Amino acid sequence: MESGRIFFDPSCHSNMLFIGNGDSAFRGGKSVMNMEENSNRRPFFSASEELYDEEYYDEQLPVKKRRLTSEQVHLLEKSFETENKLEPDRKTQLAKNLGLQPRQVAVWFQNRRARWKNKQLERNYDQLKSSYDSLLCNYDSIVKENDKLKTELISLTEKVQSKEPAEESAARAKSEAPPEEAQPPCFQLMMKVEDRLSTDGSAVIDDNGPQLIDSGDSYFQNDYSGCVAAFDGVNSEEEDGSDDNGSYFSNVFSAAVQQEPIGWSIWS
DNA sequence: TTGTGTTTTATTGCCTCC
DNA sequence: GGAGGCAATAAAACACAA
């Protein structure tokens, strides 16, 4: 690269300046930056209309683009902290104080906003990622807990079944329960467990089947209802949108509604 | 010293607002 | 229509490892 003159590289997309003998595109201007007194840096000429300044070229040899001094950057940063948008008056004042062109101040703020936005995006990404990781961790522990409860349930059920004479079970199923094909497998297990765990036995199953669940000491009441509802073979109404397959829970609910004197009438 | 990646300064083109 | 903002981009300046 030759030295001594500034010219535009015609092939350069951004009108970047070079030092050399070229003068065809040389439009001239004036000094843009007043660098520190003791700085050996030379100013950078930016806008084309600011380029031509014979006196300046006689005195100095401008080189391409220059960085702002640390003092200039410091003041710009302070200004940016108070307000990241630049109104015309402030821009002019800042430019004057820093010995820069207003355009340079505007460009600096523009680039600074872009950097801030990128940082903000990074911060947001980190926050979202940590939230996601936390949720994932919770989800995993819930799934494990659910699996554990399922295993417990199956284990208890097997124990109950192994102690119950087959004929007794069959007889009760025939006389007291709704048609077996209308009940979900989970309910069948519940009935058996409920029966087995009941201390007095007589009060558990009476003529009104649905009271079984409402009897106050139901094994599955409340605490396990969610788990049971999620158990395989039990479809919630939300899942299939219907209860026309003889769901026991629907039956219980209907029975409760019918027994409720007031209050529930809206449902009947 | 040199190659390479990152940061900074600046331009361009498009869009919105008044 | 002009001013100003923003995204995309160029290119110089800088940092740093080999």
Side-chain angles (χ1 to χ4, degrees), chain A residues 199-216:
Chain A
T199 48
D200 66 4
S202 61
V204 173
I205 298 179
D206 57 19
D207 292 339
N208 299 318
Q211 289 179 5
L212 178 75
I213 292 295
D214 293 332
S215 63

Side-chain angles (χ1 to χ4, degrees), chain A residues 30-71:
Chain A
K30 54 193 171 191
S31 172
V32 171
M33 300 164 65
N34 298 326
M35 309 305 281
E36 291 169 314
E37 292 280 326
N38 58 354
S39 171
N40 58 1
R41 287 180 170 182
R42 288 169 295 180
F44 168 65
F45 295 85
S46 55
S48 55
E49 52 276 334
E50 299 168 349
L51 293 174
Y52 198 78
D53 184 37
E54 287 288 320
E55 288 180 11
Y56 184 85
Y57 298 136
D58 290 343
E59 293 169 11
Q60 301 183 54
L61 299 176
V63 178
K64 301 180 184 176
K65 106 177 31 168
R66 308 262 38 147
R67 295 208 166 183
L68 304 183
T69 66
S70 56
E71 193 178 350

Side-chain angles (χ1 to χ4, degrees), chain A residues 162-234:
Chain A
S162 67
K163 290 181 180 177
E164 184 178 57
E167 61 274 18
E168 185 183 320
S169 175
R172 189 173 61 253
K174 198 172 183 179
S175 64
E176 296 169 352
E180 199 162 322
E181 64 274 11
Q183 295 172 354
C186 182
F187 170 68
Q188 296 169 32
L189 296 178
M190 285 169 60
M191 291 288 286
K192 290 170 184 174
V193 172
E194 185 85 32
D195 190 18
R196 271 303 185 189
L197 295 178
S198 174
T199 48
D200 66 4
S202 61
V204 173
I205 298 179
D206 57 19
D207 292 339
N208 299 318
Q211 289 179 5
L212 178 75
I213 292 295
D214 293 332
S215 63
D217 50 359
S218 165
Y219 182 75
F220 290 104
Q221 195 180 30
N222 298 331
D223 290 345
Y224 286 87
S225 57
C227 174
V228 170
F231 195 72
D232 292 342
V234 177

Side-chain angles (χ1 to χ4, degrees), chain A residues 20-267:
Chain A
N21 293 327
D23 57 1
S24 58
F26 191 37
R27 296 178 55 191
K30 54 193 171 191
S31 172
V32 171
M33 300 164 65
N34 298 326
M35 309 305 281
E36 291 169 314
E37 292 280 326
N38 58 354
S39 171
N40 58 1
R41 287 180 170 182
R42 288 169 295 180
F44 168 65
F45 295 85
S46 55
S48 55
E49 52 276 334
E50 299 168 349
L51 293 174
Y52 198 78
D53 184 37
E54 287 288 320
E55 288 180 11
Y56 184 85
Y57 298 136
D58 290 343
E59 293 169 11
Q60 301 183 54
L61 299 176
V63 178
K64 301 180 184 176
K65 106 177 31 168
R66 308 262 38 147
R67 295 208 166 183
L68 304 183
T69 66
S70 56
E71 193 178 350
Q72 285 169 325
V73 171
H74 179 67
L75 278 168
L76 286 165
E77 286 285 356
K78 277 181 75 176
S79 183
F80 184 84
E81 276 174 25
T82 58
E83 175 66 56
N84 73 345
K85 286 284 178 70
L86 199 58
E87 56 278 18
D89 287 348
R90 195 157 69 103
K91 178 169 68 178
T92 309
Q93 192 58 48
L94 260 175
K96 201 174 178 181
N97 293 343
L98 295 167
L100 299 170
Q101 288 294 310
R103 171 69 181 159
Q104 281 183 292
V105 176
V107 165
W108 188 90
F109 265 73
Q110 205 159 294
N111 288 323
R112 187 65 182 79
R113 280 194 295 271
R115 287 197 292 271
W116 182 87
K117 193 180 176 184
N118 281 336
K119 288 283 178 193
Q120 193 63 33
L121 280 172
E122 282 177 21
R123 281 192 288 269
N124 289 345
Y125 170 80
D126 289 342
Q127 279 182 351
L128 282 172
K129 190 171 186 308
S130 64
S131 293
Y132 170 78
D133 289 343
S134 172
L135 282 171
L136 190 63
C137 183
N138 284 345
Y139 172 77
D140 286 344
S141 66
I142 287 170
V143 165
K144 281 177 186 167
E145 177 69 12
N146 193 29
D147 288 344
K148 189 180 155 194
L149 289 170
K150 279 183 185 175
T151 307
E152 270 183 42
L153 178 61
I154 290 167
S155 169
L156 286 169
T157 303
E158 283 171 351
K159 280 182 186 172
V160 168
Q161 280 178 325
S162 67
K163 290 181 180 177
E164 184 178 57
E167 61 274 18
E168 185 183 320
S169 175
R172 189 173 61 253
K174 198 172 183 179
S175 64
E176 296 169 352
E180 199 162 322
E181 64 274 11
Q183 295 172 354
C186 182
F187 170 68
Q188 296 169 32
L189 296 178
M190 285 169 60
M191 291 288 286
K192 290 170 184 174
V193 172
E194 185 85 32
D195 190 18
R196 271 303 185 189
L197 295 178
S198 174
T199 48
D200 66 4
S202 61
V204 173
I205 298 179
D206 57 19
D207 292 339
N208 299 318
Q211 289 179 5
L212 178 75
I213 292 295
D214 293 332
S215 63
D217 50 359
S218 165
Y219 182 75
F220 290 104
Q221 195 180 30
N222 298 331
D223 290 345
Y224 286 87
S225 57
C227 174
V228 170
F231 195 72
D232 292 342
V234 177
N235 297 323
S236 71
E237 291 185 26
E238 288 178 0
E239 281 175 324
D240 61 11
S242 67
D243 57 358
D244 56 357
N245 62 348
S247 160
Y248 175 69
F249 297 104
S250 300
N251 293 341
V252 169
F253 184 75
S254 299
V257 168
Q258 284 165 8
Q259 288 171 6
E260 195 70 31
I262 310 175
W264 287 88
S265 57
I266 190 171
W267 296 101

